[in-house]
Amino acid sequence: MERFVELENVQKHFDTKKGRFVALQDINLTIRQGEVVSLIGHSGCGKSTVLNIIAGLLEPSDGIALCNGREIDGPGPERAVVFQNHSLLPWLSCYGNILLAVERVFGAKEGKAQLAARTDAALVLVGLSHARDKHPHEISGGMKQRVGIARALAMEPKVLLMDEPFGALDALTRANLQDEMVKIVDATGSTVVMVTHDVDEAVLLSDRIVMMTNGPAATVGEILDVQLPRPRNRLALANDADYHRYRSAVLDFLYQKHRRDAA
Ligand SMILES: Nc1ncnc2c1ncn2[C@@H]1O[C@H](COP(=O)(O)OP(=O)(O)OP(=O)(O)O)[C@@H](O)[C@H]1O
């Protein structure tokens, strides 16, 4: 598989009132096309900073970030982001929110019918056709998050970046959405980079789990290859020895090797 996102010796510091704070140091990571990669680590270790560098929302202080062989020099539709809080426009319907993004990306070269077809297809993908005309305040948190995912996918990004996309949801809704995401990833072959705190989510969804050390100067500690066959099924995995082995490896990294006591 082709190298797709590359971080080479990335360092990121922030100049604060108290002086320079080095958040990331020596981050080296290569993500291949079609791969689902999770970033996991304790709070504040720099997961979002890594994601934001790939998104082009933050610039590395040193080193280089590449997408498809080109230096990332700002946000772009090839790298769509889904945040924890859906960030939908409240005055637009579900359909309108997705259409807006679709128009931005494809509006210059496609007609209205094509743009509408893209929008409808995205709603179908996340099972939300029935809610197409509803506004964000009329739907649940899980549905809003699905609209956010549909909006990102409708842009046909080369990489889908997700920052704790299910973090604000209750456990059941989160599980449902994770299951949907498993299917969407299988169906679309998307390249996904996802920040998560949830070990089960990481194992269920990922091809590789990037485990980060604690900051300051956080870096990639270990990378776990998750070789569970796809399609994956939550119930079947509950009794799968390999699943539990992967899960234990992540827990061991977080709570033995890189334990961080509560502040
Ligand atoms: N703009 C900024 N200015 C100063 N420090 C920052 C800034 N952005 C992030 N940091 C610091 O950099 C470190 C990494 O932050 P980041 O948000 O990437 O961590 P995280 O692993 O995503 O955390 P969480 O899991 O709690 O969301 C933290 O110590 C944070 O306080």
PDB file of all heavy atoms in Angstrom, residues 1-2 4 31-36 158 185 189-192 207 230:
ATOM      1  N   MET A   1       0.832  -1.218   0.000  1.00  0.00           N
ATOM      2  CA  MET A   1       0.000   0.000   0.000  1.00  0.00           C
ATOM      3  C   MET A   1       0.862   1.262   0.000  1.00  0.00           C
ATOM      4  O   MET A   1       1.929   1.278   0.582  1.00  0.00           O
ATOM      5  CB  MET A   1      -0.918   0.005   1.216  1.00  0.00           C
ATOM      6  CG  MET A   1      -2.238  -0.709   0.953  1.00  0.00           C
ATOM      7  SD  MET A   1      -3.461  -0.355   2.210  1.00  0.00           S
ATOM      8  CE  MET A   1      -2.866  -1.375   3.545  1.00  0.00           C
ATOM      9  N   GLU A   2       0.322   2.273  -0.622  1.00  0.00           N
ATOM     10  CA  GLU A   2       1.049   3.524  -0.815  1.00  0.00           C
ATOM     11  C   GLU A   2       1.172   4.311   0.495  1.00  0.00           C
ATOM     12  O   GLU A   2       0.239   4.363   1.279  1.00  0.00           O
ATOM     13  CB  GLU A   2       0.198   4.351  -1.778  1.00  0.00           C
ATOM     14  CG  GLU A   2       0.904   5.400  -2.548  1.00  0.00           C
ATOM     15  CD  GLU A   2      -0.104   6.162  -3.388  1.00  0.00           C
ATOM     16  OE1 GLU A   2      -0.924   5.503  -4.069  1.00  0.00           O
ATOM     17  OE2 GLU A   2      -0.079   7.391  -3.322  1.00  0.00           O
ATOM     18  N   PHE A   4       0.941   7.524   2.569  1.00  0.00           N
ATOM     19  CA  PHE A   4      -0.041   8.560   2.280  1.00  0.00           C
ATOM     20  C   PHE A   4       0.124   9.805   3.125  1.00  0.00           C
ATOM     21  O   PHE A   4       0.260  10.907   2.626  1.00  0.00           O
ATOM     22  CB  PHE A   4      -1.426   7.955   2.451  1.00  0.00           C
ATOM     23  CG  PHE A   4      -2.382   8.576   1.536  1.00  0.00           C
ATOM     24  CD1 PHE A   4      -2.157   8.540   0.185  1.00  0.00           C
ATOM     25  CD2 PHE A   4      -3.482   9.226   2.020  1.00  0.00           C
ATOM     26  CE1 PHE A   4      -3.017   9.161  -0.688  1.00  0.00           C
ATOM     27  CE2 PHE A   4      -4.356   9.838   1.162  1.00  0.00           C
ATOM     28  CZ  PHE A   4      -4.119   9.806  -0.185  1.00  0.00           C
ATOM     29  N   ILE A  31       1.401   6.707   7.359  1.00  0.00           N
ATOM     30  CA  ILE A  31       0.078   6.095   7.259  1.00  0.00           C
ATOM     31  C   ILE A  31      -0.182   5.759   5.803  1.00  0.00           C
ATOM     32  O   ILE A  31       0.022   6.597   4.918  1.00  0.00           O
ATOM     33  CB  ILE A  31      -0.986   7.055   7.831  1.00  0.00           C
ATOM     34  CG1 ILE A  31      -0.721   7.263   9.334  1.00  0.00           C
ATOM     35  CG2 ILE A  31      -2.401   6.501   7.599  1.00  0.00           C
ATOM     36  CD1 ILE A  31      -1.414   8.436   9.939  1.00  0.00           C
ATOM     37  N   ARG A  32      -0.591   4.523   5.564  1.00  0.00           N
ATOM     38  CA  ARG A  32      -0.803   4.082   4.185  1.00  0.00           C
ATOM     39  C   ARG A  32      -2.244   4.337   3.764  1.00  0.00           C
ATOM     40  O   ARG A  32      -3.143   4.461   4.598  1.00  0.00           O
ATOM     41  CB  ARG A  32      -0.482   2.593   4.069  1.00  0.00           C
ATOM     42  CG  ARG A  32       0.979   2.281   4.333  1.00  0.00           C
ATOM     43  CD  ARG A  32       1.246   0.802   4.204  1.00  0.00           C
ATOM     44  NE  ARG A  32       0.625   0.028   5.258  1.00  0.00           N
ATOM     45  CZ  ARG A  32       1.207  -0.293   6.402  1.00  0.00           C
ATOM     46  NH1 ARG A  32       2.436   0.112   6.663  1.00  0.00           N
ATOM     47  NH2 ARG A  32       0.581  -1.010   7.304  1.00  0.00           N
ATOM     48  N   GLN A  33      -2.429   4.371   2.459  1.00  0.00           N
ATOM     49  CA  GLN A  33      -3.777   4.580   1.912  1.00  0.00           C
ATOM     50  C   GLN A  33      -4.687   3.428   2.348  1.00  0.00           C
ATOM     51  O   GLN A  33      -4.288   2.268   2.285  1.00  0.00           O
ATOM     52  CB  GLN A  33      -3.698   4.630   0.402  1.00  0.00           C
ATOM     53  CG  GLN A  33      -4.881   5.312  -0.209  1.00  0.00           C
ATOM     54  CD  GLN A  33      -4.597   5.720  -1.648  1.00  0.00           C
ATOM     55  OE1 GLN A  33      -3.666   5.213  -2.265  1.00  0.00           O
ATOM     56  NE2 GLN A  33      -5.393   6.611  -2.162  1.00  0.00           N
ATOM     57  N   GLY A  34      -5.872   3.769   2.794  1.00  0.00           N
ATOM     58  CA  GLY A  34      -6.844   2.750   3.181  1.00  0.00           C
ATOM     59  C   GLY A  34      -6.664   2.235   4.596  1.00  0.00           C
ATOM     60  O   GLY A  34      -7.390   1.359   5.050  1.00  0.00           O
ATOM     61  N   GLU A  35      -5.698   2.813   5.310  1.00  0.00           N
ATOM     62  CA  GLU A  35      -5.428   2.337   6.653  1.00  0.00           C
ATOM     63  C   GLU A  35      -6.259   3.107   7.682  1.00  0.00           C
ATOM     64  O   GLU A  35      -6.502   4.305   7.513  1.00  0.00           O
ATOM     65  CB  GLU A  35      -3.942   2.577   6.943  1.00  0.00           C
ATOM     66  CG  GLU A  35      -3.347   1.599   7.877  1.00  0.00           C
ATOM     67  CD  GLU A  35      -1.873   1.842   8.174  1.00  0.00           C
ATOM     68  OE1 GLU A  35      -1.318   2.908   7.827  1.00  0.00           O
ATOM     69  OE2 GLU A  35      -1.298   0.959   8.772  1.00  0.00           O
ATOM     70  N   VAL A  36      -6.663   2.413   8.736  1.00  0.00           N
ATOM     71  CA  VAL A  36      -7.330   3.085   9.848  1.00  0.00           C
ATOM     72  C   VAL A  36      -6.359   3.073  11.028  1.00  0.00           C
ATOM     73  O   VAL A  36      -5.971   2.006  11.512  1.00  0.00           O
ATOM     74  CB  VAL A  36      -8.640   2.365  10.253  1.00  0.00           C
ATOM     75  CG1 VAL A  36      -9.313   3.095  11.413  1.00  0.00           C
ATOM     76  CG2 VAL A  36      -9.581   2.263   9.060  1.00  0.00           C
ATOM     77  N   LYS A 158      -9.269  12.431   1.045  1.00  0.00           N
ATOM     78  CA  LYS A 158      -8.259  11.370   0.920  1.00  0.00           C
ATOM     79  C   LYS A 158      -8.003  10.771   2.297  1.00  0.00           C
ATOM     80  O   LYS A 158      -7.681   9.599   2.417  1.00  0.00           O
ATOM     81  CB  LYS A 158      -6.977  11.946   0.339  1.00  0.00           C
ATOM     82  CG  LYS A 158      -7.187  12.511  -1.068  1.00  0.00           C
ATOM     83  CD  LYS A 158      -5.947  12.359  -1.900  1.00  0.00           C
ATOM     84  CE  LYS A 158      -6.230  12.576  -3.361  1.00  0.00           C
ATOM     85  NZ  LYS A 158      -6.225  14.006  -3.717  1.00  0.00           N
ATOM     86  N   VAL A 185     -16.148   2.127   6.918  1.00  0.00           N
ATOM     87  CA  VAL A 185     -14.729   2.001   6.565  1.00  0.00           C
ATOM     88  C   VAL A 185     -14.534   0.808   5.634  1.00  0.00           C
ATOM     89  O   VAL A 185     -13.804   0.888   4.640  1.00  0.00           O
ATOM     90  CB  VAL A 185     -13.883   1.858   7.855  1.00  0.00           C
ATOM     91  CG1 VAL A 185     -12.509   1.321   7.544  1.00  0.00           C
ATOM     92  CG2 VAL A 185     -13.780   3.194   8.570  1.00  0.00           C
ATOM     93  N   GLY A 189     -13.349   1.995   2.089  1.00  0.00           N
ATOM     94  CA  GLY A 189     -11.887   1.872   2.043  1.00  0.00           C
ATOM     95  C   GLY A 189     -11.194   3.166   2.435  1.00  0.00           C
ATOM     96  O   GLY A 189     -10.078   3.446   1.999  1.00  0.00           O
ATOM     97  N   SER A 190     -11.847   3.957   3.269  1.00  0.00           N
ATOM     98  CA  SER A 190     -11.288   5.270   3.642  1.00  0.00           C
ATOM     99  C   SER A 190      -9.992   5.133   4.438  1.00  0.00           C
ATOM    100  O   SER A 190      -9.822   4.169   5.187  1.00  0.00           O
ATOM    101  CB  SER A 190     -12.269   6.036   4.526  1.00  0.00           C
ATOM    102  OG  SER A 190     -13.528   6.101   3.954  1.00  0.00           O
ATOM    103  N   THR A 191      -9.151   6.118   4.278  1.00  0.00           N
ATOM    104  CA  THR A 191      -7.993   6.256   5.157  1.00  0.00           C
ATOM    105  C   THR A 191      -8.465   7.101   6.336  1.00  0.00           C
ATOM    106  O   THR A 191      -9.031   8.178   6.137  1.00  0.00           O
ATOM    107  CB  THR A 191      -6.842   6.989   4.429  1.00  0.00           C
ATOM    108  OG1 THR A 191      -6.631   6.344   3.170  1.00  0.00           O
ATOM    109  CG2 THR A 191      -5.574   6.995   5.237  1.00  0.00           C
ATOM    110  N   VAL A 192      -8.274   6.590   7.537  1.00  0.00           N
ATOM    111  CA  VAL A 192      -8.807   7.284   8.710  1.00  0.00           C
ATOM    112  C   VAL A 192      -7.709   7.427   9.763  1.00  0.00           C
ATOM    113  O   VAL A 192      -6.972   6.483  10.032  1.00  0.00           O
ATOM    114  CB  VAL A 192      -9.990   6.484   9.334  1.00  0.00           C
ATOM    115  CG1 VAL A 192     -10.553   7.199  10.557  1.00  0.00           C
ATOM    116  CG2 VAL A 192     -11.093   6.243   8.310  1.00  0.00           C
ATOM    117  N   ASP A 207      -6.447  -0.578  12.097  1.00  0.00           N
ATOM    118  CA  ASP A 207      -5.425  -1.485  11.570  1.00  0.00           C
ATOM    119  C   ASP A 207      -4.154  -1.355  12.409  1.00  0.00           C
ATOM    120  O   ASP A 207      -3.424  -2.306  12.569  1.00  0.00           O
ATOM    121  CB  ASP A 207      -5.094  -1.137  10.113  1.00  0.00           C
ATOM    122  CG  ASP A 207      -6.306  -1.336   9.223  1.00  0.00           C
ATOM    123  OD1 ASP A 207      -6.858  -2.446   9.243  1.00  0.00           O
ATOM    124  OD2 ASP A 207      -6.703  -0.384   8.529  1.00  0.00           O
ATOM    125  N   ARG A 230     -11.330  -8.507   8.883  1.00  0.00           N
ATOM    126  CA  ARG A 230     -12.517  -7.683   8.656  1.00  0.00           C
ATOM    127  C   ARG A 230     -13.470  -8.464   7.775  1.00  0.00           C
ATOM    128  O   ARG A 230     -12.996  -9.276   6.964  1.00  0.00           O
ATOM    129  CB  ARG A 230     -12.137  -6.372   7.981  1.00  0.00           C
ATOM    130  CG  ARG A 230     -11.272  -5.487   8.857  1.00  0.00           C
ATOM    131  CD  ARG A 230     -10.953  -4.176   8.156  1.00  0.00           C
ATOM    132  NE  ARG A 230     -10.072  -3.336   8.929  1.00  0.00           N
ATOM    133  CZ  ARG A 230     -10.461  -2.464   9.858  1.00  0.00           C
ATOM    134  NH1 ARG A 230     -11.737  -2.333  10.124  1.00  0.00           N
ATOM    135  NH2 ARG A 230      -9.594  -1.732  10.502  1.00  0.00           N
TER     136      ARG A 230
END
